[in-house]
């Protein structure tokens, strides 16, 4: 088992164009993920995100509530329309009063592939081995569970949009 990389794959019952919009439009991303961004996603640009409860799952929204308003840096590394978007961030940077800006960031990639049943989405977060040892395992475990939940939230968001 890798300590450096998390990978989650799901088949979403939605066209690739729709999934692409959900992961590449900052406002849509924010609704399912549970964050409000201060700008649009553009390659090479940084945006600030503030945690807000997700709009697609009451239970998850309740878990996000204690962190509401917490800000974090979100860098858009690259955009390949309809195929791939890559971000960087400081993983599990939720402790109040801690400055994470000098720590290395992890890389997050969303890859989309059209398949007969919809769209295969693969989310990869890597670079945990660069995170300071004191918080590396906790960040990895939290994000491993977090990406599982985010995949579910995205599926719920897309299902609502189809109605």
């Amino acid at each position: 088992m890798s300590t450096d990389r998390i990978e989650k794959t799901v088949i979403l019952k939605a066209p690739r164009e729709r999934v692409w919009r959900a992961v590449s439009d900052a406002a849509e991303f924010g609704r399912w993920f549970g964050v409000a961004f201060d700008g649009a996603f553009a390659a090479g640009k940084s945006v600030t995100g503030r945690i807000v409860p997700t709009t697609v799952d009451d239970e998850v929204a309740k878990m996000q509530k204690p962190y509401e308003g917490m800000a974090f840096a979100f860098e858009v590394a690259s955009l390949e329309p309809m195929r791939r978007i890559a971000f960087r961030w400081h993983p599990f940077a939720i402790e109040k009063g801690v400055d994470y800006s000098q720590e290395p960031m992890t890389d997050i990639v969303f890859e989309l592939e059209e398949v007969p049943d919809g769209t295969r989405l693969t989310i990869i977060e890597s670079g945990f081995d660069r995170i300071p040892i004191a918080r590396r395992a906790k960040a990895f475990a939290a994000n491993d569970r977090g990406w599982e939940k985010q995949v579910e939230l995205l599926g719920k968001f897309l299902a609502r949009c189809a109605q």
Side-chain angles (χ1 to χ4, degrees):
M1 183 177 127
S2 173
T3 59
D4 188 59
R5 175 185 168 109
I6 296 167
E7 185 170 329
K8 305 293 180 193
T9 301
V10 63
I11 304 295
L12 298 163
K13 298 196 180 303
R16 184 167 57 174
E17 295 83 10
R18 183 66 194 100
V19 177
W20 175 251
R21 196 165 70 238
V23 301
S24 66
D25 177 277
E28 287 204 15
F29 188 108
R31 284 199 292 278
W32 60 268
F33 195 87
V35 65
F37 292 102
D38 66 354
F41 293 161
K45 300 291 182 185
S46 292
V47 292
T48 298
R50 293 197 178 279
I51 297 174
V52 296
T54 180
T55 62
V56 299
D57 186 292
D58 292 339
E59 183 180 317
V60 174
K62 207 176 342 180
M63 292 182 337
Q64 291 171 325
K65 193 76 173 152
Y67 304 102
E68 190 168 13
M70 185 173 286
F72 62 94
F74 206 66
E75 295 180 4
V76 183
S78 65
L79 275 159
E80 297 173 39
M82 304 300 295
R83 190 175 107 46
R84 183 178 189 275
I85 186 166
F87 303 100
R88 288 186 196 93
W89 72 352
H90 296 286
F92 199 59
I94 62 165
E95 195 164 327
K96 292 182 182 192
V98 175
D99 178 10
Y100 295 96
S101 65
Q102 298 307 305
E103 285 188 7
M105 296 175 133
T106 55
D107 301 304
I108 304 162
V109 176
F110 287 71
E111 293 181 339
L112 285 68
E113 179 184 354
E114 203 166 315
V115 294
D117 293 336
T119 303
R120 176 182 295 119
L121 172 67
T122 302
I123 302 171
I124 301 164
E125 184 173 7
S126 61
F128 286 93
D129 286 351
R130 298 187 305 253
I131 303 303
I133 192 75
R135 57 183 226 90
R136 183 181 305 161
K138 193 171 186 176
F140 184 93
N143 284 22
D144 189 43
R145 287 187 310 274
W147 286 119
E148 284 177 19
K149 189 53 77 176
Q150 291 299 345
V151 164
E152 290 175 26
L153 294 176
L154 177 55
K156 288 180 180 184
F157 175 77
L158 292 168
R160 280 187 181 177
C161 292
Q163 297 174 359

